[in-house]
Amino acid sequence: MAALNTGTDTATGDAVKVLVADDEAMIRAGVCAILSADPGIEVVAEAADGREAVEAVRAHRPDVALLDIRMPRMDGLAACEEIRRTAPGTAVAILTTFSEDAYISRALGGGATGFLLKSGDPYELMTGVRAVADGGAYLSPKVARHVIAELGGERLTRGAAARARIAGLTAREREVLALLGEGLSNAGIGRRLHLVEGTVKGYVSAVLDRLEVGNRVQAAIVAYEAGLVTGMSSGE
């Protein structure tokens, strides 16, 4: 997504605590190494399957659970749903590949707020983890482009439909939607627009209602489709 803040924005100011779950040990080790290179992120647990991930979340209560989709015993999608049900304080981000597009809608329904490409830039991985920990939503720019192009039908038609959907938003609501598209949390939007967080929360709720979407990631996709996020419209 477009540039996101990289400071530690958790409520306590402590390092973002992360669980990494992937059944491939080398990938898991690589992800852990990338995250551990950021002093504001702490990997507190690892898991080799979805069941282990759910148990580790219960034991460690991380800020973010970073889940692979295809894992034995319990896949990442089922683990996402269970984590969001039993540990709502833990945000879930999905590690994905372009071959796993079909799973993204289910992950959205299960409460995931981040989609990070396994082969993506390490900076994106750290940025995405921070964004979802801060209450925002994050799609890797390549994932967002691919989802909209491949899953959503013809691009121009969807762009026109998205622009029609946002036509009824006020100027301020469009600003809020654009910042949702950048992955900012309510606090981050408030800082950008010089609004108190309670006011931002009201705007976000209004935007979700007007667009008839269920969560911030779905709103972010609309923002991309409508051209409100420069990362999509100008190739940032």
Side-chain angles (χ1 to χ4, degrees), residues 69-168:
I69 290 179
R70 297 177 182 175
M71 295 187 290
R73 292 211 294 167
M74 176 185 285
D75 66 24
L77 300 176
C80 171
E81 293 168 1
E82 183 68 8
I83 288 168
R84 294 301 299 151
R85 184 181 69 82
T86 61
T90 296
V92 175
I94 300 294
L95 280 170
T96 186
T97 66
F98 286 152
S99 65
E100 296 170 331
D101 287 340
Y103 299 106
I104 290 181
S105 61
R106 181 180 162 193
L108 283 170
T113 54
F115 295 87
L116 304 166
L117 195 61
K118 283 188 178 183
S119 59
D121 187 329
Y123 173 77
E124 285 183 13
L125 182 63
M126 292 184 283
T127 301
V129 164
R130 287 180 174 278
V132 298
D134 195 32
Y138 189 92
L139 281 79
S140 163
K142 291 181 180 178
V143 172
R145 292 185 180 95
H146 195 67
V147 168
I148 291 169
E150 300 298 328
L151 295 184
E154 207 280 326
R155 171 74 185 280
L156 294 177
T157 300
R158 286 189 63 82
R163 288 189 290 275
R165 291 177 73 181
I166 70 170

Side-chain angles (χ1 to χ4, degrees), residues 185-205:
S185 65
N186 290 352
I189 293 171
R191 287 192 293 271
R192 186 76 66 87
L193 298 181
H194 306 291
L195 299 171
V196 299
E197 192 168 345
T199 300
V200 173
K201 184 177 180 180
Y203 277 121
V204 170
S205 294

